[in-house]
Amino acid sequence: MRVRNLLAPLKVFARTRYERVPDLVRLLIQRPAILAAVGSYESALLVSGRVEGRIKALAELKTSSLVGCPF
Amino acid sequence: MDIGSAVGRELGVTEEQLRELPRYRESAAFSEEERLAIWLAEEMAETPVEIPPELSMKLRRHFDEAQLVELAAAIAWENYRARFNRVFGVRPVGFSGGDFCVLPERPAGDRE
């Protein structure tokens, strides 16, 4: 389960063209301590497997649709 | 929504669930656990955040405390990400590759 959680974003990134992704990197790299903290939090979520990835993905999708984040 | 739809597919979210997300309460496409997690996400996107006692009770019936911590942490983080991205107008880059992508919804408070 956890391996699947980790692989899912990697698979998506691997098959995507990166025209705009550097935007996020460019923004966060200006504050390296925040970039590192974001990386740590994202990693911690990816290796947390007590809840099925599908359930977390649905909750996250609902959030981004309500907050209006197209990314 | 773009990357979320694509990653969700990899994690087993079905096409039907992506389409039915706005009407998850009445849709048969979701399990009880999925419905509760989406309901929690809906409440956590509100201001102020007030979790109805009924939701709290049902969540505790279906998830243990460690699971609830993980779920709330994931949803809180998505709020962080989504709100941060809005400041800079970070646009989708085609992660969903022409497949169905979840669409924006109006917050519950604006829906009357």
Side-chain angles (χ1 to χ4, degrees), chain A residues 15 42 54 56 65 68, chain B residues 10 34 70 81 86 105:
Chain A
R15 63 169 187 251
E42 296 267 7
R54 188 187 71 257
K56 287 189 287 185
S65 71
Chain B
E10 291 291 338
E34 290 166 345
E70 187 176 317
R81 273 199 295 233
R86 292 281 286 177
E105 293 178 39

Side-chain angles (χ1 to χ4, degrees), chain B residues 16-17 20-21 23-31 35:
Chain B
E16 187 187 8
Q17 287 179 324
E20 297 273 273
L21 202 54
R23 49 179 299 271
Y24 74 97
R25 283 173 192 271
E26 54 275 18
S27 171
F30 302 94
S31 69
R35 209 171 276 127

Side-chain angles (χ1 to χ4, degrees), chain A residues 4-5 8-9 11-13 15-17 20-21 24 27-28 34 38 41-42 45 48-51 53-71, chain B residues 1-6 10-13 18 21 34 37-38 41-42 64 67 70 73-75 77-83 85-86 88 90-93 95 103-106 111:
Chain A
R4 193 181 188 194
N5 291 352
K11 277 188 189 169
V12 169
F13 274 107
R15 63 169 187 251
T16 306
R17 296 173 61 207
R20 296 292 300 269
V21 175
L24 267 184
L27 289 164
L28 284 170
I34 299 173
V38 163
Y41 200 105
E42 296 267 7
L45 285 176
S48 296
R50 289 288 291 269
V51 179
R54 188 187 71 257
I55 292 179
K56 287 189 287 185
L58 283 167
E60 288 167 359
L61 269 171
K62 187 66 173 181
T63 303
S64 60
S65 71
L66 288 170
V67 176
C69 174
F71 180 79
Chain B
M1 283 174 275
D2 181 25
I3 189 168
S5 300
E10 291 291 338
L11 292 170
V13 174
L18 291 177
L21 202 54
E34 290 166 345
I38 298 165
E42 197 171 60
D64 65 30
Q67 289 176 314
E70 187 176 317
I75 296 169
W77 189 248
E78 186 58 37
N79 271 278
Y80 169 97
R81 273 199 295 233
R83 290 167 199 276
N85 288 345
R86 292 281 286 177
F88 300 98
V90 175
R91 305 303 304 168
V93 294
F95 289 114
L103 300 170
E105 293 178 39
R106 280 184 300 154
R111 274 185 220 137

